[in-house]
């Protein structure tokens, strides 16, 4: 069935450095790739998304890249700050899909 | 802020009790989902719905049941709670015809003793 693999499961970076999280998907029909951030005690919230007709999208310190041929997409966070510490999920879905497929999550810790 | 609400936020209940976790959204979304999130953080889809009177089982087998009598309401019921049901339950919704953002509630932390 459809699958989204996410790596790494945990990531610790020095404040100010960059963090990169990578995901691969299996369903060729996927055309929407969101990234969610989950802070302690809260539900996941969308932070950035990309559709299959675009290769890269940036929003301030956050960027996402998509390689449709290789079926992988990545989240890049630059100039990391303490408030970036959270669990991040990638996901994939399509207009015809019945559900959203989530990756297994990455726990990001920012060291002061 | 998302207009999707879950109650209660926390629940401690004895084994064998029947419980209903409430989820409501005011965005008019057709698709709704229930996820079970284990301490290792992974999200497991246990139920979803395309719209009123539509319910489907998710990828993770669950002893819970759901109903969708109204668009805005998607409650989850456990007829007889067991310690193995202890977990975080997250409800979400999204638009039907678009592959777009899913909005999550704050979650219900269930503990069965």
């Amino acid at each position: 069935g459809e699958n989204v693999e996410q790596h790494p499961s945990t990531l610790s970076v020095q404040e100010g450095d960059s963090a990169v999280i990578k995901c691969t998907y299996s369903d060729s029909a996927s055309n929407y790739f969101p990234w969610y951030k989950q802070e302690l005690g809260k539900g996941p919230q969308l932070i950035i998304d990309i559709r299959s007709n675009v290769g890269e999208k940036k929003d301030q310190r956050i960027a996402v890249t998509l390689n449709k041929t290789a079926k992988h997409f990545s989240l890049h966070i630059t100039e990391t700050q303490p408030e970036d510490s959270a669990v991040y999920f990638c996901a994939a879905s399509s207009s015809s899909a019945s559900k959203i497929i989530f990756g297994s999550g990455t726990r990001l810790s920012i060291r002061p | 802020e998302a207009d999707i609400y879950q109650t209660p936020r926390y629940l401690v209940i004895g084994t064998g009790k029947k419980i209903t976790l409430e989820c409501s959204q005011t965005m008019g979304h057709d698709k709704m989902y229930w996820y079970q999130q284990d301490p290792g953080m992974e999200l497991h889809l246990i139920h979803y719905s395309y719209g009123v009177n539509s319910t489907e089982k998710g990828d993770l087998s669950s002893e819970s049941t759901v109903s969708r009598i109204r668009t805005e309401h998607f409650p989850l019921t456990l007829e007889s709670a067991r310690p193995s049901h202890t977990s975080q339950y997250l409800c979400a919704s999204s638009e039907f015809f678009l592959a777009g953002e899913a909005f999550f509630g704050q979650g219900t932390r269930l503990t069965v003793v």
Side-chain angles (χ1 to χ4, degrees):
Chain A
E2 302 96 337
N3 186 47
V4 174
E5 292 191 2
Q6 182 171 347
H7 301 280
S9 57
T10 59
L11 180 61
S12 178
V13 301
Q14 192 75 35
E15 183 178 350
D17 288 350
S18 296
V20 180
I21 303 170
K22 298 183 179 182
C23 290
T24 59
Y25 62 97
S26 61
D27 186 1
S28 301
S30 296
N31 60 1
Y32 176 67
F33 307 92
W35 286 88
Y36 290 84
K37 176 183 181 182
Q38 185 177 22
E39 296 176 326
L40 198 62
K42 297 184 178 181
Q45 280 198 303
L46 182 77
I47 54 171
I48 194 167
D49 56 11
I50 190 168
R51 296 193 182 270
S52 57
N53 57 346
V54 179
E56 185 174 357
K57 185 176 178 181
K58 192 173 181 181
D59 182 4
Q60 299 182 342
R61 296 187 296 109
I62 295 173
V64 58
T65 58
L66 171 65
N67 183 328
K68 279 203 71 180
T69 304
K71 293 185 191 171
H72 56 71
F73 56 114
S74 302
L75 177 72
H76 304 252
I77 306 174
T78 59
E79 301 172 21
T80 52
Q81 299 170 5
E83 54 264 36
D84 295 329
S85 293
V87 177
Y88 291 81
F89 292 96
C90 63
S93 72
S94 68
S95 301
S96 59
S98 58
K99 51 193 176 181
I100 307 162
I101 309 297
F102 283 90
S104 54
T106 296
R107 190 176 301 278
L108 174 63
S109 301
I110 307 301
R111 303 191 303 271
Chain B
E1 198 159 314
D3 295 319
I4 180 164
Y5 309 99
Q6 289 185 243
T7 57
R9 286 292 312 277
Y10 304 93
L11 180 62
V12 181
I13 201 160
T15 298
K17 297 291 186 184
K18 177 180 178 179
I19 57 168
T20 296
L21 307 185
E22 301 288 349
C23 177
S24 294
Q25 51 96 3
T26 58
M27 297 170 282
H29 288 166
D30 286 308
K31 281 185 179 175
M32 295 190 75
Y33 315 84
W34 275 104
Y35 291 88
Q36 186 172 336
Q37 186 170 34
D38 55 29
M41 71 196 173
E42 194 163 349
L43 295 164
H44 299 286
L45 182 67
I46 51 175
H47 298 283
Y48 60 99
S49 167
Y50 293 116
V52 172
N53 294 326
S54 151
T55 61
E56 303 285 342
K57 289 192 178 295
D59 303 317
L60 181 70
S61 175
S62 174
E63 293 164 349
S64 59
T65 59
V66 291
S67 63
R68 191 86 183 277
I69 298 171
R70 303 197 316 265
T71 297
E72 61 271 22
H73 196 213
F74 191 40
L76 180 144
T77 298
L78 275 165
E79 290 293 332
S80 180
R82 293 209 295 269
S84 60
H85 296 139
T86 295
S87 189
Q88 162 98 319
Y89 292 86
L90 288 162
C91 179
S93 72
S94 66
E95 292 185 25
F96 185 86
F97 292 108
L98 300 174
E101 180 178 0
F103 294 86
F104 282 85
Q106 297 259 52
T108 294
R109 169 74 60 187
L110 173 66
T111 303
V112 184
V113 299

